[in-house]
Amino acid sequence: MFEFDRLKEVVARLRAEDGCPWDREQTHKSLKPECIEEAAEVICGINILEETGDADNLKEELGDLLLQVVMHAQIAEEEGLFTMEDVCRGISDKMIRRHPHVFGTNTVEDFDEVHAQWADIKKQEKAGKEWTESYFPGAFEEAKELIDVAKKRKGF
């Protein structure tokens, strides 16, 4: 956990008044290209691992993607929206809720039962928030456009 706390401190320092001008200027919106590019680079790292057995690239790219998460959480904390602790708590709570066969008393026999249980729990959690799904088509289109820009930037 020490290294994660260290990363949070590094990001906070980068965004500090006497930190890095580029990092201080970043917003959730301005970081969209980096976020999508880092996700693609993680996929590249997975492919390299599968084909060569070399995990170094995947380790590096996961770090870069984690940096994106920590940077967004830092910006959100500065804006008074939420903290990294809130993000971690939220995903931990979600994983516990969606795995009652691991953290509770439910039993499942196979993948299909796990998948059905997950879908049921997710549907219950999303009740009243169905409107958020209307944003998916635009987000996928934007992601596609950002990937095209990243490909050009990388020379592909």
Side-chain angles (χ1 to χ4, degrees), residues 3-149:
E3 289 300 329
F4 185 73
D5 291 335
R6 181 173 168 232
L7 174 60
K8 288 178 10 184
E9 290 172 6
V10 166
V11 170
R13 176 74 174 92
L14 289 171
R15 298 231 353 126
E17 189 64 35
D18 61 343
C20 173
W22 184 90
D23 289 287
R24 279 196 320 265
E25 289 182 10
Q26 298 313 302
T27 65
H28 295 297
K29 184 176 180 178
S30 72
L31 287 171
K32 286 180 180 182
E34 284 78 7
C35 190
I36 199 77
E37 188 171 324
E38 296 304 346
E41 290 177 4
V42 167
I43 292 170
C44 180
I46 292 167
N47 293 343
I48 291 169
L49 174 63
E50 287 179 345
E51 290 188 25
T52 70
D54 186 341
D56 285 343
N57 185 263
L58 178 58
K59 177 179 63 176
E60 178 182 346
E61 299 307 341
L62 286 171
D64 291 346
L65 188 59
L66 179 60
L67 173 62
Q68 291 298 307
V69 173
V70 174
M71 181 73 84
H72 281 281
Q74 176 66 33
I75 293 167
E77 185 170 349
E78 292 166 6
E79 295 172 344
L81 300 173
F82 56 82
T83 68
M84 189 72 225
E85 294 301 314
D86 297 327
V87 172
C88 291
R89 182 181 312 104
I91 192 60
S92 293
D93 290 349
K94 180 192 291 187
M95 290 300 99
I96 291 168
R97 278 192 316 272
R98 291 191 185 177
H99 292 85
H101 57 287
V102 175
F103 299 101
T105 57
N106 287 20
T107 58
V108 292
E109 297 297 321
D110 57 29
F111 173 81
D112 291 334
E113 286 184 39
V114 169
H115 188 266
Q117 177 179 261
W118 178 282
D120 288 343
I121 294 167
K122 183 176 180 177
K123 185 176 180 180
Q124 292 170 20
E125 290 173 352
K126 298 290 183 179
K129 300 177 189 174
E130 294 84 1
W131 62 270
T132 61
E133 291 184 13
S134 69
Y135 284 83
F136 280 134
F140 281 119
E141 188 58 38
E142 184 177 3
K144 183 178 164 191
E145 292 168 7
L146 289 169
I147 288 170
D148 289 343
V149 170

